Amino acid sequence: MGCVVLQNVLLCCAVGSYLKPIPNFISINQFHTPNKTLSFSVMCSAKLLIFLVLFSAIPIGIIVTLERAQPATHVYHYHSSGWFRECAKWDSHNRRFLVSLFEGGLAQVKLPEKDSDSSPPLEEVTVVKEASLAGNASLGIVIDPSRNRVLVVNADVIGNRYGALAAYDLTTSNRLFLTQLSGPSDEKSFADDVAVDAEGNAYVTDVKGNQIWKVGVEGKLISTIKSPLFPAKEWYKSLVGLNGIVYHPDGFLIVIHTFSGNLFKIDLTKGEEVKLIKVKGSLSFGDGLELVSPTKLVVAGNPSGRLVESSDGWSTASVVGTFSGPMHRLATAATVKDGKVYLNHLVGMGYPKKKHALVEAVF
């Protein structure tokens, strides 16, 4: 069954083309041979499992129809060499989106001087590709403009045996540091998303271990934030745990637990005190987070986007708006450009060039 699901995923991505370009993170040796059955290690990644289940359930004909439909909001399409793009963030100073590469690395999608709704698809250009991180996916990213750098999370998506945080200069793309968060001798983990505070400390979520690594401004691994509130009570809701994370200018973190939909506030001014934010409305399957203002938060995921608002410093909050974009592409991250919210979508469509979409979310 797993092989059928995987074939459906690849077929949907190619939309009718032959299945030659198997994603780099899947080994050919994992498929059935006369002496070997399919290895289910390809399913070890919880996020990949969600993607496979959701994506294989959508008939190809519906996907083709959705792709041909006129979008209701503005969309930046761009051509890429890869099928999957986990995160994109707007770099206003350099007038570009920075995009994490699932096959590892960082790319830019530069905008022309004059924006136009009728512009042809933009082009993705790789700016960071490190041999030392080969075999790992680049996932969550955050831009730290005051220090002219971008922070990138790297992880072993299949085996969950390696996690790291890298920092790069925004101007030169030179690496500033690479900090290992977990390795083969540690318990399995899945480094996913990152936020940075006012002092330059970074906070990286562990989807599998329900913890947060704290990394200092110079790249030193300082500590791990844990709480009995983080794990979900039901075992199946712990398959995908702490995920999207943002830093609030009032000195606390907001982080989401994907399967349970729980939203947490971690007060850095009170010894990393963890409290559950009481949310009116569901945030289940929430993924990437982005602050629109001190009182408004965008949650990417399923549905494509939700707008959450708080009037009491994030002790409580309410879902005040939703946006339904191209759900077959799977929204995984959000960013703000010129006051407008854009949702990054994981899946690219087409062959040989894969066309990805950054979709404006209007709530």
Side-chain angles (χ1 to χ4, degrees), residues 48-87:
L48 181 60
L49 179 60
I50 298 173
F51 165 70
L52 294 176
V53 172
L54 292 177
F55 207 68
S56 63
I58 305 175
I60 295 175
I62 295 178
I63 293 177
V64 172
T65 301
L66 291 171
E67 281 297 297
R68 291 177 175 174
Q70 184 68 24
T73 61
H74 181 250
V75 180
Y76 287 111
H77 285 114
Y78 66 93
H79 283 144
S80 167
S81 60
W83 294 112
F84 307 118
R85 296 293 178 257
E86 166 75 8
C87 187

Short mmCIF file of all heavy atoms in Angstrom, two decimals, residues 48-87:
data_model
loop_
_atom_site.label_atom_id
_atom_site.label_comp_id
_atom_site.label_asym_id
_atom_site.label_seq_id
_atom_site.Cartn_x
_atom_site.Cartn_y
_atom_site.Cartn_z
N LEU A 48 6.23 13.86 6.26
CA LEU A 48 6.08 13.19 4.98
C LEU A 48 4.85 12.30 4.98
O LEU A 48 4.13 12.20 3.98
CB LEU A 48 7.33 12.37 4.67
CG LEU A 48 7.36 11.62 3.33
CD1 LEU A 48 7.23 12.60 2.17
CD2 LEU A 48 8.62 10.80 3.20
N LEU A 49 4.59 11.64 6.13
CA LEU A 49 3.42 10.77 6.23
C LEU A 49 2.13 11.57 6.03
O LEU A 49 1.23 11.13 5.31
CB LEU A 49 3.41 10.08 7.61
CG LEU A 49 2.22 9.15 7.87
CD1 LEU A 49 2.18 8.03 6.84
CD2 LEU A 49 2.34 8.57 9.28
N ILE A 50 2.06 12.74 6.66
CA ILE A 50 0.87 13.58 6.49
C ILE A 50 0.70 13.93 5.01
O ILE A 50 -0.39 13.84 4.45
CB ILE A 50 1.00 14.89 7.29
CG1 ILE A 50 1.10 14.59 8.77
CG2 ILE A 50 -0.20 15.79 7.04
CD1 ILE A 50 1.39 15.81 9.59
N PHE A 51 1.81 14.33 4.41
CA PHE A 51 1.77 14.72 3.01
C PHE A 51 1.27 13.56 2.14
O PHE A 51 0.42 13.74 1.27
CB PHE A 51 3.15 15.17 2.56
CG PHE A 51 3.29 15.25 1.07
CD1 PHE A 51 2.63 16.23 0.35
CD2 PHE A 51 4.07 14.32 0.40
CE1 PHE A 51 2.76 16.30 -1.02
CE2 PHE A 51 4.19 14.38 -0.97
CZ PHE A 51 3.53 15.37 -1.68
N LEU A 52 1.80 12.35 2.36
CA LEU A 52 1.42 11.21 1.55
C LEU A 52 -0.06 10.89 1.67
O LEU A 52 -0.74 10.64 0.69
CB LEU A 52 2.26 9.99 1.96
CG LEU A 52 3.76 10.06 1.67
CD1 LEU A 52 4.46 8.82 2.21
CD2 LEU A 52 4.03 10.21 0.20
N VAL A 53 -0.55 10.90 2.92
CA VAL A 53 -1.95 10.57 3.15
C VAL A 53 -2.88 11.59 2.50
O VAL A 53 -3.83 11.25 1.79
CB VAL A 53 -2.24 10.46 4.66
CG1 VAL A 53 -3.74 10.31 4.90
CG2 VAL A 53 -1.50 9.28 5.25
N LEU A 54 -2.58 12.87 2.74
CA LEU A 54 -3.45 13.92 2.20
C LEU A 54 -3.38 13.97 0.68
O LEU A 54 -4.39 14.08 -0.01
CB LEU A 54 -3.05 15.28 2.77
CG LEU A 54 -3.32 15.50 4.26
CD1 LEU A 54 -2.79 16.87 4.68
CD2 LEU A 54 -4.79 15.39 4.58
N PHE A 55 -2.15 13.84 0.17
CA PHE A 55 -1.97 14.04 -1.27
C PHE A 55 -2.54 12.89 -2.08
O PHE A 55 -3.12 13.08 -3.14
CB PHE A 55 -0.49 14.22 -1.57
CG PHE A 55 -0.24 15.04 -2.80
CD1 PHE A 55 -0.55 16.39 -2.81
CD2 PHE A 55 0.32 14.47 -3.93
CE1 PHE A 55 -0.31 17.16 -3.94
CE2 PHE A 55 0.56 15.23 -5.05
CZ PHE A 55 0.25 16.58 -5.06
N SER A 56 -2.38 11.65 -1.58
CA SER A 56 -2.84 10.50 -2.34
C SER A 56 -4.35 10.39 -2.36
O SER A 56 -4.91 9.67 -3.18
CB SER A 56 -2.25 9.21 -1.77
OG SER A 56 -2.70 9.02 -0.44
N ALA A 57 -5.02 11.11 -1.48
CA ALA A 57 -6.47 11.04 -1.41
C ALA A 57 -7.15 11.94 -2.44
O ALA A 57 -8.37 11.92 -2.58
CB ALA A 57 -6.94 11.42 -0.01
N ILE A 58 -6.39 12.74 -3.14
CA ILE A 58 -6.98 13.68 -4.09
C ILE A 58 -6.82 13.15 -5.51
O ILE A 58 -5.71 12.95 -5.98
CB ILE A 58 -6.29 15.06 -3.99
CG1 ILE A 58 -6.34 15.58 -2.54
CG2 ILE A 58 -6.94 16.06 -4.94
CD1 ILE A 58 -5.57 16.86 -2.34
N PRO A 59 -7.89 12.89 -6.22
CA PRO A 59 -7.78 12.39 -7.59
C PRO A 59 -6.99 13.36 -8.46
O PRO A 59 -7.07 14.58 -8.32
CB PRO A 59 -9.24 12.31 -8.04
CG PRO A 59 -10.04 12.22 -6.79
CD PRO A 59 -9.28 13.01 -5.78
N ILE A 60 -6.23 12.80 -9.37
CA ILE A 60 -5.39 13.61 -10.24
C ILE A 60 -6.22 14.59 -11.07
O ILE A 60 -5.82 15.72 -11.30
CB ILE A 60 -4.55 12.70 -11.16
CG1 ILE A 60 -3.59 11.88 -10.31
CG2 ILE A 60 -3.78 13.52 -12.19
CD1 ILE A 60 -2.79 10.87 -11.10
N GLY A 61 -7.39 14.14 -11.50
CA GLY A 61 -8.24 15.02 -12.30
C GLY A 61 -8.63 16.28 -11.57
O GLY A 61 -8.69 17.37 -12.16
N ILE A 62 -8.87 16.16 -10.27
CA ILE A 62 -9.22 17.33 -9.47
C ILE A 62 -8.02 18.27 -9.37
O ILE A 62 -8.16 19.49 -9.45
CB ILE A 62 -9.70 16.91 -8.07
CG1 ILE A 62 -11.01 16.13 -8.18
CG2 ILE A 62 -9.88 18.13 -7.17
CD1 ILE A 62 -11.54 15.64 -6.85
N ILE A 63 -6.83 17.69 -9.23
CA ILE A 63 -5.62 18.50 -9.13
C ILE A 63 -5.42 19.30 -10.41
O ILE A 63 -5.09 20.49 -10.38
CB ILE A 63 -4.39 17.62 -8.84
CG1 ILE A 63 -4.50 17.01 -7.45
CG2 ILE A 63 -3.10 18.42 -8.98
CD1 ILE A 63 -3.39 16.07 -7.09
N VAL A 64 -5.61 18.65 -11.55
CA VAL A 64 -5.45 19.34 -12.83
C VAL A 64 -6.44 20.48 -12.93
O VAL A 64 -6.11 21.60 -13.37
CB VAL A 64 -5.63 18.36 -14.00
CG1 VAL A 64 -5.67 19.10 -15.33
CG2 VAL A 64 -4.52 17.31 -14.01
N THR A 65 -7.69 20.24 -12.50
CA THR A 65 -8.71 21.28 -12.53
C THR A 65 -8.33 22.45 -11.62
O THR A 65 -8.46 23.62 -12.00
CB THR A 65 -10.08 20.71 -12.08
OG1 THR A 65 -10.44 19.65 -12.96
CG2 THR A 65 -11.15 21.79 -12.10
N LEU A 66 -7.84 22.12 -10.44
CA LEU A 66 -7.44 23.17 -9.50
C LEU A 66 -6.28 23.99 -10.05
O LEU A 66 -6.22 25.21 -9.87
CB LEU A 66 -7.05 22.55 -8.15
CG LEU A 66 -8.19 21.92 -7.34
CD1 LEU A 66 -7.63 21.15 -6.14
CD2 LEU A 66 -9.17 22.98 -6.87
N GLU A 67 -5.36 23.33 -10.73
CA GLU A 67 -4.21 24.03 -11.29
C GLU A 67 -4.62 24.99 -12.40
O GLU A 67 -4.01 26.03 -12.60
CB GLU A 67 -3.18 23.02 -11.81
CG GLU A 67 -2.33 22.40 -10.73
CD GLU A 67 -1.46 23.41 -10.01
OE1 GLU A 67 -0.60 24.02 -10.66
OE2 GLU A 67 -1.66 23.62 -8.80
N ARG A 68 -5.65 24.63 -13.13
CA ARG A 68 -6.09 25.46 -14.25
C ARG A 68 -7.01 26.60 -13.81
O ARG A 68 -7.24 27.54 -14.57
CB ARG A 68 -6.82 24.59 -15.27
CG ARG A 68 -5.90 23.63 -16.02
CD ARG A 68 -6.69 22.75 -16.96
NE ARG A 68 -5.80 21.89 -17.76
CZ ARG A 68 -6.24 20.94 -18.59
NH1 ARG A 68 -7.54 20.74 -18.73
NH2 ARG A 68 -5.37 20.21 -19.28
N ALA A 69 -7.52 26.52 -12.60
CA ALA A 69 -8.46 27.54 -12.12
C ALA A 69 -7.75 28.87 -11.90
O ALA A 69 -6.57 28.92 -11.52
CB ALA A 69 -9.12 27.08 -10.82
N GLN A 70 -8.46 29.96 -12.15
CA GLN A 70 -7.91 31.29 -11.93
C GLN A 70 -7.83 31.57 -10.43
O GLN A 70 -8.83 31.46 -9.72
CB GLN A 70 -8.82 32.34 -12.60
CG GLN A 70 -8.29 33.77 -12.52
CD GLN A 70 -7.04 33.99 -13.35
OE1 GLN A 70 -6.79 33.26 -14.32
NE2 GLN A 70 -6.23 34.97 -12.99
N PRO A 71 -6.65 31.89 -9.90
CA PRO A 71 -6.53 32.14 -8.46
C PRO A 71 -7.34 33.36 -8.03
O PRO A 71 -7.45 34.34 -8.77
CB PRO A 71 -5.03 32.35 -8.25
CG PRO A 71 -4.50 32.74 -9.59
CD PRO A 71 -5.35 32.03 -10.59
N ALA A 72 -7.89 33.29 -6.81
CA ALA A 72 -8.72 34.39 -6.31
C ALA A 72 -7.88 35.54 -5.79
O ALA A 72 -8.38 36.66 -5.65
CB ALA A 72 -9.63 33.86 -5.20
N THR A 73 -6.62 35.29 -5.48
CA THR A 73 -5.73 36.33 -4.96
C THR A 73 -4.43 36.33 -5.76
O THR A 73 -4.21 35.47 -6.61
CB THR A 73 -5.43 36.10 -3.47
OG1 THR A 73 -4.76 34.82 -3.32
CG2 THR A 73 -6.71 36.09 -2.64
N HIS A 74 -3.56 37.27 -5.45
CA HIS A 74 -2.30 37.37 -6.16
C HIS A 74 -1.40 36.18 -5.84
O HIS A 74 -1.36 35.70 -4.70
CB HIS A 74 -1.58 38.66 -5.77
CG HIS A 74 -0.28 38.85 -6.47
ND1 HIS A 74 0.93 38.77 -5.83
CD2 HIS A 74 0.01 39.12 -7.77
CE1 HIS A 74 1.91 38.97 -6.69
NE2 HIS A 74 1.37 39.19 -7.87
N VAL A 75 -0.69 35.70 -6.85
CA VAL A 75 0.21 34.56 -6.68
C VAL A 75 1.55 34.87 -7.35
O VAL A 75 1.60 35.34 -8.49
CB VAL A 75 -0.37 33.28 -7.31
CG1 VAL A 75 0.60 32.10 -7.12
CG2 VAL A 75 -1.73 32.95 -6.71
N TYR A 76 2.63 34.59 -6.63
CA TYR A 76 3.96 34.58 -7.23
C TYR A 76 4.29 33.13 -7.60
O TYR A 76 4.49 32.29 -6.71
CB TYR A 76 5.02 35.11 -6.26
CG TYR A 76 4.98 36.60 -6.03
CD1 TYR A 76 4.58 37.11 -4.81
CD2 TYR A 76 5.37 37.49 -7.03
CE1 TYR A 76 4.56 38.48 -4.58
CE2 TYR A 76 5.34 38.86 -6.81
CZ TYR A 76 4.93 39.34 -5.59
OH TYR A 76 4.90 40.70 -5.37
N HIS A 77 4.32 32.83 -8.89
CA HIS A 77 4.77 31.51 -9.33
C HIS A 77 6.26 31.58 -9.64
O HIS A 77 6.75 32.60 -10.14
CB HIS A 77 4.01 31.06 -10.58
CG HIS A 77 2.61 30.62 -10.30
ND1 HIS A 77 1.49 31.29 -10.76
CD2 HIS A 77 2.13 29.56 -9.61
CE1 HIS A 77 0.40 30.68 -10.36
NE2 HIS A 77 0.75 29.62 -9.66
N TYR A 78 6.95 30.50 -9.34
CA TYR A 78 8.36 30.46 -9.72
C TYR A 78 8.76 29.04 -10.11
O TYR A 78 8.23 28.06 -9.59
CB TYR A 78 9.27 30.99 -8.60
CG TYR A 78 9.31 30.17 -7.33
CD1 TYR A 78 10.29 29.18 -7.14
CD2 TYR A 78 8.40 30.39 -6.30
CE1 TYR A 78 10.34 28.44 -5.97
CE2 TYR A 78 8.45 29.66 -5.12
CZ TYR A 78 9.41 28.68 -4.97
OH TYR A 78 9.46 27.94 -3.80
N HIS A 79 9.70 28.95 -11.06
CA HIS A 79 10.20 27.67 -11.52
C HIS A 79 11.34 27.20 -10.62
O HIS A 79 12.17 28.00 -10.18
CB HIS A 79 10.69 27.77 -12.97
CG HIS A 79 9.57 27.79 -13.96
ND1 HIS A 79 9.60 28.54 -15.12
CD2 HIS A 79 8.36 27.15 -13.97
CE1 HIS A 79 8.48 28.36 -15.80
NE2 HIS A 79 7.72 27.53 -15.12
N SER A 80 11.38 25.89 -10.42
CA SER A 80 12.36 25.31 -9.52
C SER A 80 12.80 23.96 -10.06
O SER A 80 12.11 23.33 -10.87
CB SER A 80 11.74 25.14 -8.13
OG SER A 80 12.55 24.31 -7.31
N SER A 81 13.93 23.48 -9.59
CA SER A 81 14.42 22.16 -9.97
C SER A 81 13.92 21.08 -9.01
O SER A 81 14.12 19.89 -9.26
CB SER A 81 15.95 22.14 -10.00
OG SER A 81 16.47 22.46 -8.71
N GLY A 82 13.31 21.49 -7.90
CA GLY A 82 12.89 20.52 -6.88
C GLY A 82 11.39 20.46 -6.70
O GLY A 82 10.67 21.43 -6.93
N TRP A 83 10.93 19.30 -6.24
CA TRP A 83 9.49 19.10 -6.01
C TRP A 83 9.00 19.81 -4.76
O TRP A 83 7.87 20.30 -4.72
CB TRP A 83 9.18 17.61 -5.87
CG TRP A 83 9.40 16.77 -7.08
CD1 TRP A 83 10.36 15.80 -7.26
CD2 TRP A 83 8.66 16.80 -8.30
NE1 TRP A 83 10.24 15.23 -8.51
CE2 TRP A 83 9.20 15.83 -9.17
CE3 TRP A 83 7.56 17.56 -8.75
CZ2 TRP A 83 8.71 15.59 -10.45
CZ3 TRP A 83 7.07 17.32 -10.03
CH2 TRP A 83 7.64 16.35 -10.87
N PHE A 84 9.82 19.84 -3.70
CA PHE A 84 9.34 20.27 -2.40
C PHE A 84 10.10 21.48 -1.86
O PHE A 84 11.33 21.50 -1.87
CB PHE A 84 9.44 19.11 -1.39
CG PHE A 84 8.77 17.84 -1.87
CD1 PHE A 84 9.51 16.69 -2.06
CD2 PHE A 84 7.42 17.82 -2.13
CE1 PHE A 84 8.91 15.53 -2.52
CE2 PHE A 84 6.80 16.67 -2.58
CZ PHE A 84 7.55 15.52 -2.78
N ARG A 85 9.34 22.46 -1.37
CA ARG A 85 9.90 23.66 -0.78
C ARG A 85 9.14 23.95 0.51
O ARG A 85 7.99 24.35 0.51
CB ARG A 85 9.77 24.85 -1.76
CG ARG A 85 10.58 24.66 -3.05
CD ARG A 85 12.06 24.66 -2.75
NE ARG A 85 12.91 24.43 -3.92
CZ ARG A 85 13.51 23.29 -4.19
NH1 ARG A 85 13.31 22.24 -3.41
NH2 ARG A 85 14.31 23.16 -5.23
N GLU A 86 9.82 23.74 1.64
CA GLU A 86 9.18 23.80 2.95
C GLU A 86 8.85 25.21 3.42
O GLU A 86 7.83 25.45 4.04
CB GLU A 86 10.09 23.10 3.97
CG GLU A 86 9.75 23.33 5.44
CD GLU A 86 8.53 22.56 5.90
OE1 GLU A 86 8.03 21.73 5.13
OE2 GLU A 86 8.10 22.79 7.05
N CYS A 87 9.74 26.15 3.15
CA CYS A 87 9.57 27.48 3.75
C CYS A 87 10.07 28.57 2.81
O CYS A 87 11.05 28.38 2.08
CB CYS A 87 10.34 27.54 5.08
SG CYS A 87 10.07 29.05 6.03
#
